Amino acid sequence: MLDIVSSSLSQGLLWSIMAIGVYVTFRLLHIADLSAEGTFPLGGAVAASLLSAGWPALAATLIAWIAGMLGGLVGGFLHTKMKIPGLFTGILVLTGLYSVNLHILGRPNVTLIDIDTVMRSVGRLVGGRLIASMVVGGVAVVIVTALFVWFFQTEVGLALRATGNNETMAEANAIPVDRMKMLGYMIGNGFIALSGALIAQNNGYADIGMGIGTIVIGLASIIVGEVLFGQRGFVISLLSIVVGSIVYRLVIDLVLLLGVDPQDIKLFSAIVLAIILWLPHRFGSLKGRIRT
Amino acid sequence: MNIGLAISGLKKTFEQGYALEKRVLDNVDLTLRPGEFISIIGSNGAGKTTLINCIAGVVSVDEGTIHLDGEDITRRKTEVRAKDVARVFQDPKLGTAGHLTIEENLAIAARRGRKNLLRNGVSEEDRAWFTERLASLGLGLESRLQAKVDTLSGGQRQILTLVMATMRQPKLLLLDEHTAALDPKASQLVMDLTEKMVKETHQTTMMITHNMDNAIRYGDRLIMLHDGGIVIDVSGEAKRKLTVNQLVDRFRHVAGDAVISDRTLLAGEVAFAKN
């Protein structure tokens, strides 16, 4: 049982970085961006390929992060300069990235046996795979949270938040709204790809299908967090996403433990998210705590 | 160079080429001296909001030019014009970002037309300035700098928008029925503050209003739009002597017996009652 909890904890930490990325487009820009389904495996693919080619783990991870930001830049360009609605933008990006990811991987999956991933390097220091996952997840969450909180309080960060919250106001205050949206796409998808890179290293492989259901996990983590904590300031919001992500992972792991066939897990995730989205409408006491 | 606003031959038709084609602005010429405060009235559909939206860049112009301080801004994007043109909207929610705090909103307005950098969005220096600025309004907003704007009343939000719009002394301030959505008391407060701010800084201002009484009482000049054209243009002594009755008569005269919108009439009748 303790194993399950600690495994959920480490997985939840790593996945929460993806959920924080989804939060940027979904909550701050108010765009339902499905690009995550493509940029998450992009991060995994870039990291796995570079690691296989002998790159150091940290460099591979950082480059995967940047690759995600470039993916976001494409999405942002489609949405702002080509005026394609957010939903279609996401579908276009995730579809296009499928081929890109296949090219990067070279084959449907790449395993990272006997390769010094971030997890393995840290594992040697702390003496244990699970602890290494937790340490890496924890450090990554702290770095991402710190970057996030810092950035969104800067002048550019305020301008970006204003753009997402009230575009008319942003325009009326001379904020370059298209540029802000593109930046939001980049930041969000950068975090998503970073998470993909870390998950691939944690699992010991990257495969072309690892992105399926990403957006469901991301949204579920955000909303579970909001149901638990309500919508508050930044730091609380981010912490609630991390907790939401861990809780969600715990639920999935417990369900697997109860004997649900792993191949039914996506169906189960979808049903869980549907219920999570429905609950606040069903029970008035939760109303107003989340926006769907 | 400071030569104000010059609009020349402005034309705008909506739904061009369709059955519902409507010419909203028909060859409008209008010049504003720097520091002039002009109020604009007219029935619904007269083209008031379209005129202001053309100046702000929200609506594209079919023909004609708009010059601000000698610069041709006719084709400039809204966000680029916003460096010189500030707006207050009818809907108090439109002018501020509700999820951001009062100080964050003010910080954004304080950076109007400047490059946003990766440094702290609200500095201590800003905070001191904002506190002073808000304290001068006497509404107690200065003690709530870190409150989300969503928690403010409509009147407070509108006042905040007004402060934000005038913070950097734009070349032109556009007020689009900015008191229409407020209760009478808040409406009066916002109007008084508007006049105070405009006078203090000699702010070039265009104000659309449905309230004839306000149109007469405030501003240096009054114009009435009808069917996309300017039908009345009074200023100085003539405007000061104007009454709502005369204005309605003059409107009937120029517009034939065209319908005056209920709201305009109502606003007029309220004014009669007061007289």
Side-chain angles (χ1 to χ4, degrees):
Chain A
M1 189 62 203
L2 195 65
D3 276 359
I4 294 285
V5 174
S6 37
S7 154
S8 308
L9 182 63
S10 66
Q11 288 275 332
L13 285 170
L14 296 169
W15 281 99
S16 69
I17 292 164
M18 182 276 292
I20 290 172
V22 172
Y23 180 87
V24 175
T25 46
F26 183 61
R27 279 287 184 246
L28 296 184
L29 284 185
H30 294 272
I31 295 168
D33 178 32
L34 301 179
S35 306
E37 302 265 322
T39 48
F40 182 79
L42 173 68
V46 168
S49 303
L50 291 174
L51 282 164
S52 307
W55 285 64
L58 205 58
T61 308
L62 289 177
I63 292 171
W65 189 346
I66 293 167
M69 293 178 85
L70 292 176
L73 180 62
V74 173
F77 182 85
L78 293 174
H79 182 56
T80 60
K81 297 298 172 194
M82 295 175 68
K83 312 283 177 211
I84 295 169
L87 197 59
F88 291 132
T89 295
I91 292 168
L92 294 176
V93 170
L94 81 89
T95 305
L97 279 180
Y98 187 86
S99 297
V100 173
N101 293 342
L102 264 179
H103 275 292
I104 293 171
L105 284 169
R107 52 184 181 279
N109 63 71
V110 168
T111 48
L112 298 169
I113 299 166
D114 295 330
I115 285 176
D116 267 338
T117 60
V118 169
M119 308 297 162
R120 219 164 264 141
S121 310
V122 174
R124 271 198 300 276
L125 291 175
V126 297
R129 216 188 72 82
L130 200 57
I131 299 171
S133 300
M134 274 192 246
V135 169
V136 172
V139 168
V141 164
V142 168
I143 291 173
V144 165
T145 304
L147 270 176
F148 190 104
V149 171
W150 163 75
F151 175 77
F152 283 106
Q153 315 266 19
T154 63
E155 291 170 3
V156 185
L158 289 187
L160 200 158
R161 282 161 57 205
T163 301
N165 182 204
N166 181 351
E167 197 169 334
T168 307
M169 175 272 190
E171 263 186 342
N173 282 281
I175 291 170
V177 291
D178 282 355
R179 230 180 299 162
M180 289 303 134
K181 285 184 195 168
M182 271 198 262
L183 192 59
Y185 264 95
M186 289 176 74
I187 294 170
N189 284 290
F191 288 156
I192 292 164
L194 172 64
S195 175
L198 294 174
I199 295 281
Q201 294 179 69
N202 191 52
N203 295 351
Y205 67 89
D207 78 34
I208 190 67
M210 71 188 277
I212 298 169
T214 306
I215 196 74
V216 168
I217 299 170
L219 294 179
S221 306
I222 292 170
I223 291 163
V224 167
E226 285 172 357
V227 168
L228 294 176
F229 293 86
Q231 289 190 340
R232 312 250 193 98
F234 265 150
V235 181
I236 305 277
S237 286
L238 292 196
L239 288 180
S240 78
I241 294 170
V242 175
V243 173
S245 180
I246 292 167
V247 169
Y248 178 81
R249 192 51 48 188
L250 201 59
V251 171
I252 297 292
D253 287 346
L254 284 175
V255 165
L256 282 172
L257 193 72
L258 290 175
V260 169
D261 190 333
Q263 76 182 7
D264 290 332
I265 208 70
K266 299 281 185 209
L267 175 62
F268 184 79
S269 319
I271 292 171
V272 167
L273 178 58
I275 292 171
I276 292 170
L277 289 172
W278 168 72
L279 278 179
H281 298 286
R282 177 69 184 78
F283 300 102
S285 64
L286 290 172
K287 252 185 202 159
R289 287 184 71 172
I290 73 162
R291 290 166 287 144
T292 49
Chain B
M1 193 163 55
N2 196 13
I3 56 174
L5 177 75
I7 296 169
S8 136
L10 205 63
K11 286 186 186 171
K12 178 68 193 179
T13 303
F14 286 118
E15 311 290 340
Q16 201 148 22
Y18 291 92
L20 288 172
E21 180 171 299
K22 174 147 178 48
R23 170 151 287 186
V24 186
L25 292 178
D26 192 5
N27 223 357
V28 172
D29 295 311
L30 178 65
T31 319
L32 257 79
R33 279 183 294 105
E36 198 164 33
F37 179 7
I38 183 170
S39 47
I40 304 174
I41 52 172
S43 51
N44 287 334
K48 307 182 298 291
T49 296
T50 306
L51 177 63
I52 271 202
N53 283 341
C54 284
I55 299 170
V58 180
V59 167
S60 67
V61 170
D62 293 339
E63 271 178 62
T65 56
I66 303 167
H67 285 80
L68 186 58
D69 271 5
E71 275 183 276
D72 187 349
I73 61 164
T74 319
R75 305 279 160 208
R76 270 188 206 164
K77 276 173 81 175
T78 308
E79 66 198 36
V80 179
R81 285 183 216 208
K83 285 168 187 161
D84 301 315
V85 180
R87 285 186 287 162
V88 182
F89 309 87
Q90 179 172 354
D91 180 354
K93 287 197 171 81
L94 279 183
T96 44
H99 293 174
L100 273 59
T101 62
I102 294 180
E103 62 179 17
E104 286 171 337
N105 273 276
L106 288 167
I108 286 168
R111 305 214 48 77
R112 176 191 297 275
R114 302 176 181 204
K115 220 169 165 41
N116 286 308
L117 304 169
L118 283 176
R119 63 174 180 217
N120 205 351
V122 187
S123 65
E124 279 309 316
E125 208 179 315
D126 288 337
R127 230 164 245 145
W129 180 33
F130 299 160
T131 305
E132 195 185 321
R133 188 80 204 239
L134 292 179
S136 72
L137 304 176
L139 297 168
L141 286 177
E142 66 279 5
S143 60
R144 297 176 61 189
L145 280 181
Q146 267 138 45
K148 288 245 168 80
V149 168
D150 269 342
T151 63
L152 302 184
S153 70
Q156 288 171 324
R157 270 184 98 146
Q158 208 60 326
I159 287 163
L160 183 62
T161 312
L162 198 58
V163 171
M164 288 165 62
T166 51
M167 212 157 195
R168 281 280 161 216
Q169 296 196 9
K171 289 179 181 164
L172 180 64
L173 174 64
L174 302 175
L175 308 171
D176 185 359
E177 294 196 49
H178 70 309
T179 63
L182 306 176
D183 63 67
K185 208 176 146 206
S187 168
Q188 193 55 51
L189 182 63
V190 170
M191 241 358 277
D192 289 345
L193 277 171
T194 305
E195 197 190 25
K196 183 166 163 261
M197 288 178 188
V198 168
K199 274 195 175 151
E200 269 171 11
T201 57
H202 303 286
Q203 174 66 55
T204 318
T205 305
M206 277 175 94
M207 175 178 79
I208 293 183
T209 176
H210 256 110
N211 186 322
M212 291 202 184
D213 200 26
N214 275 352
I216 293 170
R217 192 180 318 164
Y218 301 99
D220 319 312
R221 181 175 164 199
L222 181 153
I223 66 170
M224 181 183 275
L225 282 177
H226 182 70
D227 272 348
I230 295 172
V231 290
I232 294 175
D233 186 343
V234 283
S235 54
E237 193 59 26
K239 175 175 178 286
R240 272 191 291 280
K241 286 184 177 161
L242 205 59
T243 65
V244 172
N245 268 334
Q246 288 170 340
L247 201 54
V248 172
D249 283 346
R250 286 189 66 174
F251 177 63
R252 287 234 168 87
H253 180 68
V254 287
D257 246 342
V259 199
I260 305 180
S261 83
D262 294 347
R263 272 175 78 196
T264 312
L265 261 184
L266 194 66
E269 270 157 16
V270 171
F272 296 151
K274 268 194 253 171
N275 294 341

